[in-house]
Amino acid sequence: MRLTSLLSALGRKVVPAAGVRAPDGEDWVAPQGSYLTINAADRHLDPDLYPDPTRYDAFRFAREAQEAQQDGGQETNQEYLRARRLGMTSTSKDFLAFGHGWHACPGRFLVEQMLKMLMAYMLMHYDIEYLPS
Ligand code: HEM
């Protein structure tokens, strides 16, 4: 989800007649009828946010969440927020796979439950082993 984010493929059509102006003083205007999209890869592949960003690391988020919990039991707002933003359904400006803000994906809670049920079913009904490399 982090490496091939759906969000970048979703465009938003500019509706206002005056277009959409860059919010931070940059000098561009997207005219009415054009499409804007988000460059999620810029965040998702940033090595300052995700060390060694293209490597598959199954416990990348779980490890950090565990560390955040151990670092003082989430006693401060910062620690609490750090732990919370690592949840499977959490969205943030640094993790955009489900979008972020008002229109963030509402189906992500269903996806979380389904993936957990799938995982539980596999563990209960199958023996799993590594493929020979
Ligand atoms: C892993 C699976 C899924 C991924 C990665 C995903 C990702 C996304 C993304 C990136 C958006 C756009 C958010 C934005 O515009 O900021 C979105 C929107 C949406 N998703 Fe999902 N989605 C998933 C599963 C689902 C499921 C299972 C449902 C329904 C049961 C669902 C329902 C929706 C709806 C209704 C929106 C539009 C929300 C709005 O515009 O307010 N999604 N999703």
Side-chain angles (χ1 to χ4, degrees), residues 1 4-12 38 88 96-112 114-115:
M1 283 176 59
T4 54
S5 172
L6 177 66
L7 186 64
S8 302
L10 295 174
R12 289 285 187 266
I38 300 287
M88 187 166 168
L96 297 161
F98 287 119
H100 188 44
W102 191 256
H103 288 283
C105 176
R108 64 192 193 277
F109 305 102
L110 176 66
V111 170
E112 179 191 32
M114 292 187 74
L115 287 177

Side-chain angles (χ1 to χ4, degrees), residues 33-109:
S34 61
Y35 286 83
L36 291 172
T37 190
I38 300 287
N39 179 7
D42 199 38
R43 290 271 171 192
H44 291 180
L45 298 177
D46 182 343
D48 289 337
L49 297 170
Y50 300 101
D52 200 357
T54 54
R55 188 169 67 89
Y56 176 64
D57 176 2
F59 294 98
R60 188 184 286 274
F61 291 82
R63 207 170 36 241
E64 202 186 326
Q66 198 172 24
E67 282 165 16
Q69 279 170 358
Q70 285 165 354
D71 285 355
Q74 303 175 38
E75 280 157 15
T76 67
N77 282 351
Q78 282 305 95
E79 284 157 357
Y80 178 77
L81 289 173
R82 187 173 151 228
R84 291 299 299 167
R85 84 170 176 81
L86 296 163
M88 187 166 168
T89 53
S90 306
T91 69
S92 75
K93 63 182 173 47
D94 299 331
F95 187 75
L96 297 161
F98 287 119
H100 188 44
W102 191 256
H103 288 283
C105 176
R108 64 192 193 277
F109 305 102

